Amino acid sequence: MPGVPLLAGFVGLLCVTAPMLLPGQAASTGAEAGRYEYRYRVPTGTSVDVLSDEPEVLEFGIAEDPAFSEAGVVSVIEYHGVYPLSVEELRSAITAYEEYTVISRRVVASEGRPAPEERPYEPIGTVIERQAALMRTSFKFLFFGRDYDYVLSSMTEELPGDAILVRSAMTESLDGGLSAIHYSWYLEPLGNGAAGGGGSGKRGNAATYLRYFARVDFAEEPNGLRLALELFARSDVERLLESVYRYARTGR
């Protein structure tokens, strides 16, 4: 059975009981009618000149009985960083859904599907691409093992300032293990003196600010799930971002 990139949308889930937010983050948080979450823009107060391709955590937490969800457990995780690549190079890697068995160690099968006629959420920019994928993500740790099969629908949007926002939502859980997946990748071009988000403007070469967000609502809580998230969530997301960066550079 195929599967595609949860693209981390769940590849790295979190690990504390309360989320940690940086100043100014709420101003760049989006929610559609209380049913879909995403992140975009550079958070207020962020200097991109101190960021690198070793991403930093912005938010990390596990919520019980969360708002607007029937799930008993919801994981939320968010990272950002700056990479010495163009927006288009990173976007091509992020949206290479049929290659996620190469990009993500958690995706064991992936297969592209025609984008559904109905959009998964309302765009906030100009939609330039729509994709869908059937995917299987596998989590196996010392004490916990579970595969998740689902259909993911994704849109790529152009925003002001040549920024790109890639968002995805689960449209169907094939095995009933998940209630929802929300993930977003925000890419903003830097370089040539364009520091964005209050940076000092010292970058001379092409670079891109990347902000990654994932929320996963679990429809069930198998034994060991919480501990697995607490122990492995951050490292999973960091490896995913490293793999996307590698694939963007090398194509493998």
Side-chain angles (χ1 to χ4, degrees):
M1 156 78 202
V4 131
L6 161 60
L7 195 71
F10 158 98
V11 166
L13 309 159
L14 352 246
C15 87
V16 294
T17 55
M20 174 184 70
L21 299 175
L22 295 186
Q25 187 171 354
S28 52
T29 294
E32 180 182 315
R35 296 297 304 178
Y36 183 83
E37 288 191 79
Y38 55 96
R39 305 286 188 267
Y40 66 112
R41 302 192 187 118
V42 179
T44 303
T46 297
S47 173
V48 298
D49 289 325
V50 303
L51 296 175
S52 71
D53 57 18
E54 295 184 2
E56 297 181 0
V57 66
L58 282 169
E59 182 177 357
F60 187 55
I62 295 174
E64 296 184 15
D65 300 321
F68 72 81
S69 175
E70 297 178 357
V73 177
V74 170
S75 69
V76 176
I77 194 163
E78 181 178 8
Y79 273 78
H80 69 168
V82 168
Y83 297 84
L85 295 172
S86 69
V87 167
E88 187 54 37
E89 286 172 315
L90 286 168
R91 173 204 164 194
S92 295
I94 289 166
T95 58
Y97 296 116
E98 294 187 10
E99 299 298 317
Y100 262 79
T101 55
V102 175
I103 295 172
S104 172
R105 66 175 186 153
R106 297 297 180 201
V107 177
V108 296
S110 62
E111 182 178 319
R113 287 287 186 268
E117 184 174 338
E118 183 178 354
R119 291 173 171 175
Y121 42 79
E122 289 301 314
I124 62 171
T126 301
V127 178
I128 59 175
E129 186 176 25
R130 294 187 60 205
Q131 295 165 282
L134 182 64
M135 57 186 66
R136 170 172 288 172
T137 303
S138 180
F139 293 86
K140 289 181 171 60
F141 306 105
L142 293 177
F143 46 82
F144 172 76
R146 179 70 158 88
D147 291 347
Y148 293 93
D149 297 326
Y150 51 91
V151 178
L152 200 69
S153 184
S154 178
M155 294 200 306
T156 300
E157 303 169 57
E158 288 183 338
L159 301 182
D162 296 322
I164 290 289
L165 179 64
V166 179
R167 292 189 285 161
S168 297
M170 184 184 75
T171 55
E172 183 182 3
S173 174
L174 303 181
D175 58 13
L178 301 173
S179 293
I181 294 173
H182 315 226
Y183 82 72
S184 60
W185 301 78
Y186 173 76
L187 304 172
E188 180 176 314
L190 308 173
N192 298 321
S200 64
K202 295 181 180 179
R203 296 186 187 277
N205 300 318
T208 297
Y209 169 82
L210 181 152
R211 184 176 183 180
Y212 166 79
F213 169 78
R215 168 178 170 150
V216 180
D217 295 36
F218 292 89
E220 56 185 28
E221 186 180 352
N223 291 334
L225 172 63
R226 287 174 183 268
L227 184 56
L229 298 181
E230 291 173 1
L231 293 178
F232 300 106
R234 288 195 185 196
S235 62
D236 264 10
V237 170
E238 290 165 4
R239 286 177 179 175
L240 172 75
L241 295 175
E242 180 182 351
S243 295
V244 166
Y245 179 34
R246 181 202 68 232
Y247 189 87
R249 296 194 323 268
T250 67
R252 55 186 176 83

